[in-house]
Amino acid sequence: MKYNKKFISIFICFFILLIFVGCGPNQEATGKSIDSHKNVEVSKTGKKEEPTKRAMLFFVGDIIYHPPLYRGLPLHKDPSSLETHYERLKPWIEKADFAIGNFEGSMNPNGKVRGYPLFQVPHDSVASLKANGFDAMTTANNHCMDGGESGLDFVIEKMDEVGMKHFGTFLKDDSHGLIEDINGIKVGFLSYTEHFNGMEGSIPMARRYKLRPMKKDRMLDDIHWMKKYCDYLIVLPHWGEEYTKQPMNHVVTLAHELLDGGADAIIGSHPHVVHGVEIREDGKVIAYSLGNSLANQRREYMKGNPRPEGGLGLYLHLIQKPGENPKMELVEKLPTFTERSMENGKYIYRVMACRDGFGEGKFVKSLTQREQNRAEELEEIVLRDTENIGTGR
């Protein structure tokens, strides 16, 4: 068979093109190709390699339902009536893959509510927090026993009812904490409290497994046990002394002992004011106190002290590279405050960021001039307080 020159030229060009396509530089240089159907890297041997994993966690401090926050609202009838509390912070909450707060209070199964010193909060509070984007609550704090054993149990039951994860108080004697798979990273959470307002005695010793008192040996044992089942472990202790300028010496000491014992991060609460955020050389994080998130502890009722008005929202960015343990990649600080405004003859409380955005964001302009001034002042106070690490005395 004879071929003309034009046909032979076309055939040679096509053959050369196939050679260049088959020897592309990417696969040869890296030794890997991308399986687009499963979005994982495949080595030259055909072995699939896991991609880098990332997870963003968001924490806020004390959530305290003082009666003025819900006075005049339709309790136990419309859970959405309490959603105004976090409607302004909701975008910041939902920005994270997993958001956690400290639920400070108990509940009366019959629906009775009351404030300080023994908080029994509205049943609707849990559903509203879930609707606002929170994924989990720590329940180990000095107010968890304010309604006795029945109140402690009922809080857990309401959280289970709406799908809110929880840890710190328990119904079963084989419970330890919470382990959550967040974007492929198994994150463990443990929580303890230094005090129970003297109410722990109302639970018989046979059922004290429901509580998590802050005892170092028990905490270290729990850390050791949990580390077998999670990649990254966070301890949330309720500790220290209220309204101090800095964390107490015993708090600082214990925080480092827990990290040395295997924990990866410490997120503290209870003082109702922000305390220091410390990042160790090994990348482990301590936030000694995130202060108040939702509360009515305004300066008018706190002898002029503005610090309980401010809180710290903390973003913890985790990264886990193939074959490695997760590490803290970035910590972001979000100063917050509880704004109060008069609407339809009653006060409405809303937690919000002091600015509309991180860093260069503008201060919220939809407020009264008085609340705008407080937002600017509280941002400065909160950020300054995150540098306070030392002794509170």
Side-chain angles (χ1 to χ4, degrees), residues 316-386:
L316 192 61
H317 296 252
L318 304 183
I319 182 172
Q320 184 174 15
K321 297 181 180 180
E324 298 182 6
N325 293 324
K327 296 179 181 179
M328 183 277 295
E329 185 177 30
L330 178 67
V331 172
E332 288 184 278
K333 304 172 185 178
L334 181 70
T336 67
F337 78 110
T338 303
E339 176 254 355
R340 184 178 74 174
S341 59
M342 179 69 73
E343 298 179 16
N344 300 320
K346 60 185 178 182
Y347 283 119
I348 300 295
Y349 294 78
R350 294 183 176 92
V351 181
M352 60 178 61
C354 294
R355 290 178 183 259
D356 285 329
F358 282 122
E360 301 302 320
K362 297 179 180 180
F363 287 102
V364 180
K365 297 301 181 184
S366 60
L367 308 176
T368 64
Q369 187 60 52
R370 184 184 187 189
E371 295 297 283
Q372 286 184 37
N373 293 340
R374 291 194 182 206
E376 295 186 32
E377 178 189 17
L378 288 168
E379 182 192 54
E380 181 180 347
I381 290 173
V382 167
L383 292 178
R384 181 196 67 206
D385 285 346
T386 63

Side-chain angles (χ1 to χ4, degrees), residues 110-218:
N110 296 324
K112 179 181 178 180
V113 294
R114 67 184 182 190
Y116 182 84
L118 299 176
F119 288 94
Q120 295 194 44
V121 307
H123 295 180
D124 299 335
S125 57
V126 174
S128 68
L129 291 169
K130 180 67 176 177
N132 282 132
F134 285 102
D135 299 290
M137 291 285 143
T138 169
T139 54
N141 52 65
N142 61 303
H143 288 291
C144 67
M145 282 294 299
D146 284 3
E149 184 177 5
S150 62
L152 179 149
D153 293 350
F154 194 74
V155 167
I156 295 175
E157 291 167 7
K158 293 300 290 185
M159 290 189 178
D160 287 339
E161 182 181 302
V162 303
M164 178 75 79
K165 304 292 179 66
H166 52 84
F167 55 99
T169 55
F170 303 94
L171 298 181
K172 300 178 180 179
D173 62 1
D174 59 349
S175 302
H176 289 82
L178 174 68
I179 297 178
E180 193 72 16
D181 188 313
I182 306 173
N183 296 343
I185 302 176
K186 289 185 174 64
V187 183
F189 302 92
L190 292 169
S191 185
Y192 307 85
T193 181
E194 201 166 14
H195 305 289
F196 295 93
N197 289 346
M199 299 288 288
E200 62 269 34
S202 63
I203 294 186
M205 288 300 299
R207 295 197 296 276
R208 290 285 178 89
Y209 58 79
K210 295 184 176 185
L211 304 177
R212 288 296 180 272
M214 206 174 76
K215 297 180 179 180
K216 185 176 71 172
D217 290 344
R218 169 65 186 272

